[in-house]
PDB file of all heavy atoms in Angstrom:
ATOM      1  N   ARG A 614     154.681 108.516 159.247  1.00 98.00           N
ATOM      2  CA  ARG A 614     154.332 108.805 160.642  1.00 98.00           C
ATOM      3  C   ARG A 614     154.317 107.488 161.390  1.00 98.00           C
ATOM      4  O   ARG A 614     154.039 106.515 160.876  1.00 98.00           O
ATOM      5  CB  ARG A 614     152.865 109.548 160.600  1.00 98.00           C
ATOM      6  CG  ARG A 614     152.986 110.864 160.046  1.00 98.00           C
ATOM      7  CD  ARG A 614     151.593 111.618 160.314  1.00 98.00           C
ATOM      8  NE  ARG A 614     151.733 113.043 159.909  1.00 98.00           N
ATOM      9  CZ  ARG A 614     152.121 113.995 160.728  1.00 98.00           C
ATOM     10  NH1 ARG A 614     152.340 113.706 161.979  1.00 98.00           N
ATOM     11  NH2 ARG A 614     152.217 115.177 160.252  1.00 98.00           N
ATOM     12  N   SER A 615     154.562 107.620 162.697  1.00 98.00           N
ATOM     13  CA  SER A 615     154.578 106.494 163.530  1.00 98.00           C
ATOM     14  C   SER A 615     153.104 106.199 163.977  1.00 98.00           C
ATOM     15  O   SER A 615     152.140 106.943 163.572  1.00 98.00           O
ATOM     16  CB  SER A 615     155.328 106.850 164.853  1.00 98.00           C
ATOM     17  OG  SER A 615     154.694 107.843 165.567  1.00 98.00           O
ATOM     18  N   ALA A 616     152.875 105.082 164.746  1.00 96.00           N
ATOM     19  CA  ALA A 616     151.592 104.602 165.093  1.00 96.00           C
ATOM     20  C   ALA A 616     150.919 105.687 166.035  1.00 96.00           C
ATOM     21  O   ALA A 616     149.683 105.830 166.020  1.00 96.00           O
ATOM     22  CB  ALA A 616     151.625 103.354 165.855  1.00 96.00           C
ATOM     23  N   ASP A 617     151.696 106.563 166.696  1.00 97.00           N
ATOM     24  CA  ASP A 617     151.066 107.606 167.497  1.00 97.00           C
ATOM     25  C   ASP A 617     151.188 108.942 166.802  1.00 97.00           C
ATOM     26  O   ASP A 617     151.027 109.997 167.490  1.00 97.00           O
ATOM     27  CB  ASP A 617     151.837 107.724 168.916  1.00 97.00           C
ATOM     28  CG  ASP A 617     153.357 108.138 168.773  1.00 97.00           C
ATOM     29  OD1 ASP A 617     153.861 108.249 167.531  1.00 97.00           O
ATOM     30  OD2 ASP A 617     154.012 108.314 169.807  1.00 97.00           O
ATOM     31  N   ASP A 618     151.325 108.855 165.536  1.00 97.00           N
ATOM     32  CA  ASP A 618     151.167 110.053 164.517  1.00 97.00           C
ATOM     33  C   ASP A 618     152.329 111.016 164.654  1.00 97.00           C
ATOM     34  O   ASP A 618     152.222 112.113 164.084  1.00 97.00           O
ATOM     35  CB  ASP A 618     149.811 110.793 164.849  1.00 97.00           C
ATOM     36  CG  ASP A 618     149.256 111.501 163.480  1.00 97.00           C
ATOM     37  OD1 ASP A 618     149.581 110.873 162.425  1.00 97.00           O
ATOM     38  OD2 ASP A 618     148.765 112.549 163.633  1.00 97.00           O
ATOM     39  N   ALA A 619     153.391 110.636 165.217  1.00 98.00           N
ATOM     40  CA  ALA A 619     154.607 111.467 165.139  1.00 98.00           C
ATOM     41  C   ALA A 619     155.122 111.527 163.703  1.00 98.00           C
ATOM     42  O   ALA A 619     155.336 110.483 163.133  1.00 98.00           O
ATOM     43  CB  ALA A 619     155.708 111.075 166.112  1.00 98.00           C
ATOM     44  N   LEU A 620     155.505 112.647 163.263  1.00 98.00           N
ATOM     45  CA  LEU A 620     156.234 112.860 162.020  1.00 98.00           C
ATOM     46  C   LEU A 620     157.632 112.364 162.058  1.00 98.00           C
ATOM     47  O   LEU A 620     158.440 112.981 162.808  1.00 98.00           O
ATOM     48  CB  LEU A 620     156.094 114.318 161.476  1.00 98.00           C
ATOM     49  CG  LEU A 620     156.783 114.621 160.214  1.00 98.00           C
ATOM     50  CD1 LEU A 620     156.105 113.860 159.014  1.00 98.00           C
ATOM     51  CD2 LEU A 620     156.786 116.096 159.966  1.00 98.00           C
ATOM     52  N   LEU A 621     157.973 111.415 161.271  1.00 98.00           N
ATOM     53  CA  LEU A 621     159.260 110.807 161.226  1.00 98.00           C
ATOM     54  C   LEU A 621     160.148 111.201 160.114  1.00 98.00           C
ATOM     55  O   LEU A 621     161.279 111.444 160.241  1.00 98.00           O
ATOM     56  CB  LEU A 621     159.161 109.199 161.265  1.00 98.00           C
ATOM     57  CG  LEU A 621     158.357 108.572 162.331  1.00 98.00           C
ATOM     58  CD1 LEU A 621     158.211 107.050 162.226  1.00 98.00           C
ATOM     59  CD2 LEU A 621     158.869 108.913 163.742  1.00 98.00           C
ATOM     60  N   ALA A 622     159.467 111.328 158.937  1.00 98.00           N
ATOM     61  CA  ALA A 622     160.239 111.817 157.740  1.00 98.00           C
ATOM     62  C   ALA A 622     159.268 112.383 156.752  1.00 98.00           C
ATOM     63  O   ALA A 622     158.005 112.000 156.786  1.00 98.00           O
ATOM     64  CB  ALA A 622     161.047 110.682 157.120  1.00 98.00           C
ATOM     65  N   GLU A 623     159.695 113.267 155.933  1.00 98.00           N
ATOM     66  CA  GLU A 623     158.873 113.878 154.919  1.00 98.00           C
ATOM     67  C   GLU A 623     159.584 114.183 153.682  1.00 98.00           C
ATOM     68  O   GLU A 623     160.859 114.294 153.760  1.00 98.00           O
ATOM     69  CB  GLU A 623     158.125 115.094 155.442  1.00 98.00           C
ATOM     70  CG  GLU A 623     159.133 116.246 155.895  1.00 98.00           C
ATOM     71  CD  GLU A 623     158.352 117.370 156.609  1.00 98.00           C
ATOM     72  OE1 GLU A 623     157.150 117.599 156.369  1.00 98.00           O
ATOM     73  OE2 GLU A 623     159.018 118.017 157.453  1.00 98.00           O
ATOM     74  N   ALA A 624     159.064 114.322 152.568  1.00 98.00           N
ATOM     75  CA  ALA A 624     159.592 114.575 151.295  1.00 98.00           C
ATOM     76  C   ALA A 624     158.760 115.372 150.425  1.00 98.00           C
ATOM     77  O   ALA A 624     157.469 115.326 150.470  1.00 98.00           O
ATOM     78  CB  ALA A 624     160.015 113.362 150.604  1.00 98.00           C
ATOM     79  N   THR A 625     159.389 116.167 149.480  1.00 98.00           N
ATOM     80  CA  THR A 625     158.802 116.719 148.392  1.00 98.00           C
ATOM     81  C   THR A 625     159.513 116.213 147.125  1.00 98.00           C
ATOM     82  O   THR A 625     160.735 115.978 147.238  1.00 98.00           O
ATOM     83  CB  THR A 625     158.757 118.215 148.421  1.00 98.00           C
ATOM     84  OG1 THR A 625     160.047 118.688 148.601  1.00 98.00           O
ATOM     85  CG2 THR A 625     157.875 118.708 149.605  1.00 98.00           C
ATOM     86  N   ALA A 626     158.819 116.251 145.984  1.00 98.00           N
ATOM     87  CA  ALA A 626     159.426 115.834 144.812  1.00 98.00           C
ATOM     88  C   ALA A 626     158.878 116.396 143.562  1.00 98.00           C
ATOM     89  O   ALA A 626     157.599 116.807 143.566  1.00 98.00           O
ATOM     90  CB  ALA A 626     159.352 114.311 144.633  1.00 98.00           C
ATOM     91  N   SER A 627     159.561 116.531 142.481  1.00 98.00           N
ATOM     92  CA  SER A 627     159.139 116.857 141.147  1.00 98.00           C
ATOM     93  C   SER A 627     159.085 115.622 140.360  1.00 98.00           C
ATOM     94  O   SER A 627     160.230 114.764 140.343  1.00 98.00           O
ATOM     95  CB  SER A 627     160.050 117.811 140.542  1.00 98.00           C
ATOM     96  OG  SER A 627     160.123 119.092 141.342  1.00 98.00           O
ATOM     97  N   PHE A 628     158.053 115.376 139.688  1.00 98.00           N
ATOM     98  CA  PHE A 628     157.930 114.213 138.795  1.00 98.00           C
ATOM     99  C   PHE A 628     157.715 114.836 137.340  1.00 98.00           C
ATOM    100  O   PHE A 628     157.173 115.905 137.216  1.00 98.00           O
ATOM    101  CB  PHE A 628     156.725 113.404 139.124  1.00 98.00           C
ATOM    102  CG  PHE A 628     156.945 112.487 140.276  1.00 98.00           C
ATOM    103  CD1 PHE A 628     156.992 113.006 141.558  1.00 98.00           C
ATOM    104  CD2 PHE A 628     157.133 111.171 140.179  1.00 98.00           C
ATOM    105  CE1 PHE A 628     157.146 112.272 142.676  1.00 98.00           C
ATOM    106  CE2 PHE A 628     157.352 110.302 141.286  1.00 98.00           C
ATOM    107  CZ  PHE A 628     157.412 110.866 142.509  1.00 98.00           C
ATOM    108  N   VAL A 629     158.036 114.081 136.397  1.00 98.00           N
ATOM    109  CA  VAL A 629     157.865 114.544 134.967  1.00 98.00           C
ATOM    110  C   VAL A 629     157.016 113.452 134.317  1.00 98.00           C
ATOM    111  O   VAL A 629     157.349 112.177 134.355  1.00 98.00           O
ATOM    112  CB  VAL A 629     159.239 114.637 134.217  1.00 98.00           C
ATOM    113  CG1 VAL A 629     159.050 115.012 132.708  1.00 98.00           C
ATOM    114  CG2 VAL A 629     160.103 115.751 134.850  1.00 98.00           C
ATOM    115  N   ALA A 630     155.904 113.927 133.725  1.00 96.00           N
ATOM    116  CA  ALA A 630     154.999 112.990 133.058  1.00 96.00           C
ATOM    117  C   ALA A 630     155.694 112.386 131.838  1.00 96.00           C
ATOM    118  O   ALA A 630     156.398 113.133 131.111  1.00 96.00           O
ATOM    119  CB  ALA A 630     153.659 113.674 132.669  1.00 96.00           C
ATOM    120  N   VAL A 631     155.459 111.114 131.626  1.00 95.00           N
ATOM    121  CA  VAL A 631     156.144 110.410 130.457  1.00 95.00           C
ATOM    122  C   VAL A 631     155.289 110.678 129.277  1.00 95.00           C
ATOM    123  O   VAL A 631     154.132 111.113 129.402  1.00 95.00           O
ATOM    124  CB  VAL A 631     156.225 108.817 130.879  1.00 95.00           C
ATOM    125  CG1 VAL A 631     157.146 108.654 131.858  1.00 95.00           C
ATOM    126  CG2 VAL A 631     154.925 108.184 130.969  1.00 95.00           C
ATOM    127  N   ASP A 632     155.768 110.390 128.118  1.00 94.00           N
ATOM    128  CA  ASP A 632     154.951 110.604 126.894  1.00 94.00           C
ATOM    129  C   ASP A 632     153.793 109.583 126.805  1.00 94.00           C
ATOM    130  O   ASP A 632     153.775 108.612 127.455  1.00 94.00           O
ATOM    131  CB  ASP A 632     155.894 110.525 125.652  1.00 94.00           C
ATOM    132  CG  ASP A 632     156.520 109.200 125.533  1.00 94.00           C
ATOM    133  OD1 ASP A 632     155.964 108.061 125.698  1.00 94.00           O
ATOM    134  OD2 ASP A 632     157.710 109.202 124.959  1.00 94.00           O
ATOM    135  N   ALA A 633     152.946 109.829 125.806  1.00 93.00           N
ATOM    136  CA  ALA A 633     151.752 109.027 125.784  1.00 93.00           C
ATOM    137  C   ALA A 633     152.022 107.473 125.451  1.00 93.00           C
ATOM    138  O   ALA A 633     151.315 106.633 125.976  1.00 93.00           O
ATOM    139  CB  ALA A 633     150.822 109.527 124.488  1.00 93.00           C
ATOM    140  N   ALA A 634     153.030 107.217 124.573  1.00 94.00           N
ATOM    141  CA  ALA A 634     153.375 105.881 124.313  1.00 94.00           C
ATOM    142  C   ALA A 634     153.828 105.072 125.548  1.00 94.00           C
ATOM    143  O   ALA A 634     153.434 104.023 125.896  1.00 94.00           O
ATOM    144  CB  ALA A 634     154.412 105.731 123.238  1.00 94.00           C
ATOM    145  N   GLN A 635     154.692 105.760 126.396  1.00 93.00           N
ATOM    146  CA  GLN A 635     155.145 105.092 127.645  1.00 93.00           C
ATOM    147  C   GLN A 635     153.954 104.950 128.624  1.00 93.00           C
ATOM    148  O   GLN A 635     153.857 103.938 129.270  1.00 93.00           O
ATOM    149  CB  GLN A 635     156.277 105.936 128.227  1.00 93.00           C
ATOM    150  CG  GLN A 635     156.811 105.275 129.529  1.00 93.00           C
ATOM    151  CD  GLN A 635     157.569 104.002 129.278  1.00 93.00           C
ATOM    152  OE1 GLN A 635     158.562 104.037 128.515  1.00 93.00           O
ATOM    153  NE2 GLN A 635     156.975 102.885 129.652  1.00 93.00           N
ATOM    154  N   ALA A 636     153.230 105.957 128.652  1.00 90.00           N
ATOM    155  CA  ALA A 636     151.996 105.879 129.719  1.00 90.00           C
ATOM    156  C   ALA A 636     151.062 104.687 129.221  1.00 90.00           C
ATOM    157  O   ALA A 636     150.627 103.931 130.120  1.00 90.00           O
ATOM    158  CB  ALA A 636     151.234 107.164 129.595  1.00 90.00           C
ATOM    159  N   GLN A 637     150.926 104.581 127.901  1.00 90.00           N
ATOM    160  CA  GLN A 637     150.069 103.415 127.446  1.00 90.00           C
ATOM    161  C   GLN A 637     150.821 102.092 127.720  1.00 90.00           C
ATOM    162  O   GLN A 637     150.088 101.146 128.223  1.00 90.00           O
ATOM    163  CB  GLN A 637     149.727 103.506 125.978  1.00 90.00           C
ATOM    164  CG  GLN A 637     148.855 102.466 125.402  1.00 90.00           C
ATOM    165  CD  GLN A 637     147.533 102.369 126.165  1.00 90.00           C
ATOM    166  OE1 GLN A 637     146.944 103.347 126.535  1.00 90.00           O
ATOM    167  NE2 GLN A 637     146.991 101.114 126.350  1.00 90.00           N
ATOM    168  N   ALA A 638     152.039 101.911 127.490  1.00 89.00           N
ATOM    169  CA  ALA A 638     152.771 100.721 127.890  1.00 89.00           C
ATOM    170  C   ALA A 638     152.650 100.393 129.357  1.00 89.00           C
ATOM    171  O   ALA A 638     152.476  99.200 129.656  1.00 89.00           O
ATOM    172  CB  ALA A 638     154.258 100.825 127.412  1.00 89.00           C
ATOM    173  N   TRP A 639     152.787 101.441 130.180  1.00 85.00           N
ATOM    174  CA  TRP A 639     152.625 101.177 131.697  1.00 85.00           C
ATOM    175  C   TRP A 639     151.187 100.791 131.976  1.00 85.00           C
ATOM    176  O   TRP A 639     150.974  99.842 132.925  1.00 85.00           O
ATOM    177  CB  TRP A 639     153.053 102.349 132.362  1.00 85.00           C
ATOM    178  CG  TRP A 639     154.450 102.609 132.530  1.00 85.00           C
ATOM    179  CD1 TRP A 639     155.477 101.833 132.004  1.00 85.00           C
ATOM    180  CD2 TRP A 639     155.189 103.706 133.071  1.00 85.00           C
ATOM    181  NE1 TRP A 639     156.746 102.326 132.281  1.00 85.00           N
ATOM    182  CE2 TRP A 639     156.567 103.524 132.931  1.00 85.00           C
ATOM    183  CE3 TRP A 639     154.776 104.989 133.549  1.00 85.00           C
ATOM    184  CZ2 TRP A 639     157.506 104.525 133.360  1.00 85.00           C
ATOM    185  CZ3 TRP A 639     155.673 105.910 134.018  1.00 85.00           C
ATOM    186  CH2 TRP A 639     157.074 105.637 133.893  1.00 85.00           C
TER     187      TRP A 639
END
């Protein structure tokens, strides 16, 4: 959004959770 709150761009996304070993490394 801009400083005057106008919507400039928007997105939706799907994420996939990583396995436990990768999560711990991160």
Side-chain angles (χ1 to χ4, degrees):
R614 291 189 173 268
S615 65
D617 64 357
D618 208 37
L620 179 62
L621 305 176
E623 61 188 334
T625 56
S627 299
F628 285 74
V629 176
V631 298
D632 64 35
Q635 183 65 66
Q637 182 59 33
W639 284 353

